[in-house]
Amino acid sequence: MLGPWHFRFLNHEQMLPAQGGWNDATLEKLWLYNLHYFDDLNARDANVRTAWHLALLQRWMAENPPAFGNGWEPYPTSLRIVNWAKWLLAGHSPPSGFTQSLATQARWLARRLEWHLLGNHLFANAKALVFAGLLFEGDEADGWLAKGLKILAQEVPEQVLADGGHFERSTMYHALVLEDLLDLVNAVNLWPGKVDPDVLSNWHDASRRMLAWLQGMTHPDGQIALFNDASFGVALEPAALSAYAQRLGIVVPSPKPVKALALQHRSHSGYVRLSSGKAVAMLDVAPAGPEYLMAHAHADTLSFELSVWGQRVVVNGGTSDYGLGPERLRQRGTSAHSTVEVGGLSSSEVWGGFRVARRAYPFDLQVQEEPGRLTVACCHDGYTRLPGRPVHHREWAMDAGSLLVTDAVMGGAHSAVARYILHPAVQIAAVGDSAWRLALPSGQFLQVHVLAGRPAIEPARYAPEFGKVLQTQCLAVELIQGQAQTKWIWN
């Protein structure tokens, strides 16, 4: 919140008019959702904006009568209930009608849970009911608490996989759900005896597993890898989540001393982390998501990201918006990821903004740790719908000074291209017909050699945040006779 009625969400600034504006059809729906969340009540330095917040709360109640508009949809209602409750618990004096409005919102939400969407939406609904059930007293409030806890008893083991990954396979939503869990632990601590200790213990355990998973999917720059729907600036950063957990007494055991070469395989969620002393690679050998919930899936199977000397080098394309437009479709497509595209098509048939038809399934995963070398190989069947039933096979081999990436497409006679999207801060210059020098912002250099395939440098786009698309470059390697191979060298 930049001033009275002045907001910046998703890198877009907007003023509310003197009256109304909460449902302005000229604005993106996600921007309007953010307007109704009231996140700024609990944001950094929020106390200096208390007067603005009080005026905004009064205006929201006056201009958003029950059941009308974006603000009364279940998801923004859920987030707003939690934000209003946190603000109240922080010791603020509420304006007239605040408590009654908060109860009305909980009552409304309790009858309109998002069972049709499931996933992080239903999780947020349940969290809001728990907050309202703890905050208020009486039979109705007890019913909200019981309903929220019943949903979470089902959803926590469903959504938090055994290796700690969130089942939608989005690093961003993983961080959002982890914050939800930590908030629940925090709230229950304020009302001892209201929730069974075994439930709290289960939330502690799930939080620890999620924290450990997130550490493995965080680049040396402290930000998440961009797999599926993921952007910076939406969820709390991993370090902030870790610090929050520690304040609640939830601590992940310190990792073992890092070997010269180390491999972490998150077998239930489907991600692998390879690291040497100077480089980190994160590999996607995961399914697109749970079979019944593909809303945040991208066609990014067998993609990867690479950091060297603490700086991102190879990236996925990221996410800058939701909705049904062509940019959303492009960002979900295979060509916006550092993997192989066959026949100009996406490996999973993404469509409709949040839908996936036929999708890629990884198979034949092989993980090997040998002295001085880590190797991961995997196939996927996303293109077997094409004549000849082509299969993409990719192998990554890391040693102390390089990463070798080998691709093969077997079956049929289809064009195929392996793309390596470079971070915008990386400068690339040719040093031969099939070799380039990459200059990093730190002044350090690495090289990439194309050992098989026909290479070219193409323009590309990188969307690290909502509302932000940056121009960058991409090393595109056309497969020749179904083969391509690149070597990334940092020694």
Side-chain angles (χ1 to χ4, degrees):
M1 192 174 185
L2 304 177
W5 328 129
H6 187 190
F7 305 92
R8 181 174 62 242
F9 305 129
L10 312 175
N11 287 306
H12 174 72
E13 288 189 27
Q14 186 73 30
M15 294 283 293
L16 270 183
Q19 187 172 5
W22 302 95
N23 300 291
D24 186 342
T26 66
L27 298 175
E28 290 189 8
K29 192 174 186 70
L30 186 58
W31 196 95
L32 293 170
Y33 266 24
N34 274 265
L35 182 63
H36 290 275
Y37 291 163
F38 277 77
D39 282 342
D40 197 67
L41 291 180
N42 306 293
R44 186 180 294 113
D45 301 322
N47 284 340
V48 304
R49 298 185 293 280
T50 298
W52 298 351
H53 292 160
L54 285 168
L56 187 67
L57 287 164
Q58 292 170 321
R59 179 170 172 181
W60 189 91
M61 290 185 289
E63 296 183 355
N64 291 274
F68 175 77
N70 294 294
W72 286 90
E73 292 183 27
Y75 188 71
T77 298
S78 298
L79 272 62
R80 186 174 56 255
I81 287 171
V82 171
N83 280 324
W84 283 25
K86 287 182 181 181
W87 183 81
L88 191 63
L89 292 167
H92 293 96
S93 298
S96 176
F98 176 93
T99 306
Q100 179 60 45
S101 176
L102 188 54
T104 299
Q105 292 173 53
R107 185 175 298 124
W108 171 262
L109 175 66
R111 298 195 297 266
R112 289 162 181 83
L113 302 176
E114 294 175 286
W115 291 105
H116 61 299
L117 296 179
L118 300 170
N120 65 88
H121 277 247
L122 184 61
F123 204 103
N125 300 161
K127 174 189 175 183
L129 291 181
V130 169
F131 265 71
L134 292 170
L135 187 66
F136 290 98
E137 295 179 352
D139 291 344
E140 187 177 22
D142 290 345
W144 298 337
L145 177 59
K147 181 176 286 189
L149 291 173
K150 183 178 180 181
I151 294 170
L152 292 170
Q154 169 186 312
E155 293 302 313
V156 171
E158 173 79 5
Q159 296 197 30
V160 183
L161 303 175
D163 62 12
H166 186 253
F167 76 155
E168 291 191 66
R169 274 78 170 186
S170 156
T171 44
M172 181 181 76
Y173 282 97
H174 177 101
L176 289 170
V177 171
L178 173 54
E179 183 182 1
D180 286 341
L181 261 182
L182 296 176
D183 278 348
L184 286 163
V185 170
N186 200 355
V188 168
N189 288 342
L190 293 176
W191 284 276
K194 293 281 284 186
V195 173
D196 190 304
D198 288 342
V199 172
L200 190 58
S201 177
N202 288 337
W203 292 352
H204 274 248
D205 176 66
S207 297
R208 276 190 290 269
R209 286 185 283 121
M210 293 190 81
L211 282 163
W213 188 94
L214 188 60
Q215 288 175 1
M217 296 298 288
T218 299
H219 279 272
D221 63 10
Q223 296 276 18
I224 56 174
L226 301 183
F227 292 107
N228 293 305
D229 273 346
S231 288
F232 309 145
V234 175
L236 285 179
E237 294 181 2
L241 288 166
S242 180
Y244 185 16
Q246 289 181 9
R247 294 196 298 273
L248 297 172
I250 301 172
V251 180
V252 177
S254 299
K256 297 177 182 178
V258 178
K259 300 181 292 185
L261 285 169
L263 183 151
Q264 295 178 3
H265 179 203
R266 305 299 188 188
S267 59
H268 295 88
S269 55
Y271 292 93
V272 177
R273 178 188 178 99
L274 305 178
S275 58
S276 71
K278 299 174 182 176
V280 172
M282 298 170 200
L283 322 179
D284 180 353
V285 291
E291 283 297 305
Y292 60 87
L293 184 58
M294 295 281 179
H296 298 294
H298 287 204
D300 61 355
T301 308
L302 303 192
S303 68
F304 77 104
E305 296 197 337
L306 173 69
S307 279
V308 183
W309 292 300
Q311 299 153 91
R312 295 188 189 222
V313 177
V314 178
V315 296
N316 280 318
T319 305
S320 71
D321 62 27
Y322 282 170
L324 304 177
E327 180 63 9
R328 168 70 173 161
L329 184 62
R330 186 199 69 80
Q331 289 177 5
R332 296 181 74 208
T334 296
S335 63
H337 300 86
S338 292
T339 187
V340 171
E341 180 188 54
V342 177
L345 302 174
S346 289
S347 56
S348 292
E349 292 180 308
V350 292
W351 66 282
F354 299 93
R355 298 288 184 266
V356 182
R358 290 173 290 188
R359 67 284 313 256
Y361 294 93
F363 67 95
D364 197 19
L365 174 64
Q366 299 176 41
V367 178
Q368 291 184 310
E369 295 184 70
E370 300 171 319
R373 185 179 176 90
L374 306 171
T375 305
V376 178
C378 193
C379 301
H380 79 77
D381 64 359
Y383 293 111
T384 56
R385 64 185 186 269
L386 300 177
R389 300 181 60 81
V391 168
H392 174 209
H393 177 274
R394 169 166 275 188
E395 178 180 287
W396 299 267
M398 178 180 279
D399 59 28
S402 69
L403 177 68
L404 183 68
V405 184
T406 305
D407 288 300
V409 173
M410 301 163 288
H414 303 279
S415 63
V417 58
R419 290 188 177 87
Y420 305 91
I421 301 170
L422 301 177
H423 188 275
V426 174
Q427 300 297 315
I428 184 168
V431 293
D433 291 340
S434 298
W436 289 264
R437 188 174 76 161
L438 308 181
L440 304 186
S442 62
Q444 294 162 304
F445 299 92
L446 63 154
Q447 288 195 347
V448 56
H449 295 260
V450 176
L451 306 179
R454 184 178 295 112
I457 303 300
E458 299 178 346
R461 284 175 275 180
Y462 178 58
E465 300 176 25
F466 275 86
K468 180 182 289 187
V469 179
L470 305 178
Q471 298 302 311
T472 188
Q473 292 180 295
C474 167
L475 171 61
V477 182
E478 181 185 353
L479 277 66
I480 302 300
Q481 296 182 338
Q483 304 289 321
Q485 188 175 65
T486 61
K487 189 170 187 178
W488 305 75
I489 304 169
W490 47 84
N491 271 355

